[in-house]
Amino acid sequence: GVGWERETIKDDWPGYSLDLFTYPEHYHDDIESVYIPHGVIMNRTERLAHYIMNDFQDDNIMVLCVLKGGYKFCADLVEFIKILGRNSNKYLETRVEFIRLKSYLNDQSTEDLHIIGCQDLSFLRGKAIVDTGKTMKALLKHVETFEPKMVKVAGLLVKRVPNMAESLTDYVGFEIPNRFVVGYALDYNEYFRDLNHICVISRTGKMKYKI
Ligand code: HPA
Ligand code: MG
């Protein structure tokens, strides 16, 4: 079996030096360190796929991907689930739907959560789903109204904040300090999504892309 192991990134983790990795030239002055390298993200995501395969046995999986920040994680997670299925002759049907949430301005969470697109989730009725992303509570409430058979939440990152979303998240990639990170589809005002690693923004980057 696959036992649950948590991966916790400590408060004082400075990240890796930029000199160790490659990243887009146009962000040269805008990032301070590589917080979680792409390869580590991929390995951890493969491990989460193992947990999920274990839990779902022969239920099909309806994946609800939370855009935009969740698209990389979702795509990679689903791919690993499919590969594991191929290698173990346990083929689960995976279907992906998308929902778009927006709540951040600059590096601050705002009060208003916008659910954009795909509000009719009736395809979930009687289905087991895995959900990826953050801003989860409001979404879960919405999802539950469609009465899926089982709902599981996968989040690549869970931040250590007073009301941690951890209890809502069944599959956690990394528990991290409460700091703002970008890359691997996570943005700062729509910038940095094209960065493969999860990184910490520099002061210059914060100023440059501030609204
Ligand atoms: N980075 C980008 N988007 C986010 C974050 C973050 O750290 N937290 C919530 N949305
Ligand atoms: Mg965002």
Side-chain angles (χ1 to χ4, degrees), residues 69 103-104 106-109 134-135 157 159 176-183 185-189 191 193 198-199 201:
S103 68
Y104 266 67
N106 296 320
D107 57 356
Q108 298 300 314
S109 191
K134 292 170 270 89
T135 327
L157 306 176
K159 293 188 188 180
I176 67 169
N178 185 20
R179 57 186 306 182
F180 195 79
V181 291
V182 294
L186 298 175
D187 76 307
Y188 174 77
N189 295 332
Y191 289 90
R193 292 195 200 272
I198 291 177
C199 295
I201 323 180

Side-chain angles (χ1 to χ4, degrees), residues 31-49:
I31 47 182
E32 200 167 281
S33 67
V34 173
Y35 202 62
I36 311 175
H38 185 250
V40 176
I41 297 169
M42 294 301 278
N43 290 146
R44 182 65 183 146
T45 302
E46 184 175 9
R47 188 64 190 242
L48 296 186

Side-chain angles (χ1 to χ4, degrees), residues 115-144:
I115 299 183
I116 307 161
C118 190
Q119 297 187 31
D120 177 15
L121 301 179
S122 51
F123 64 90
L124 295 174
R125 211 177 305 275
K127 301 283 189 178
I129 77 158
V130 173
D131 199 331
T132 70
K134 292 170 270 89
T135 327
M136 205 44 69
K137 218 173 216 161
L139 180 59
L140 273 177
K141 223 163 114 186
H142 187 63
V143 165
E144 295 285 1

Side-chain angles (χ1 to χ4, degrees), residues 48-61:
L48 296 186
H50 269 96
Y51 298 140
I52 291 167
M53 289 295 274
N54 235 33
D55 291 351
F56 278 71
Q57 300 298 337
D58 28 56
D59 281 309
N60 291 328
I61 304 182

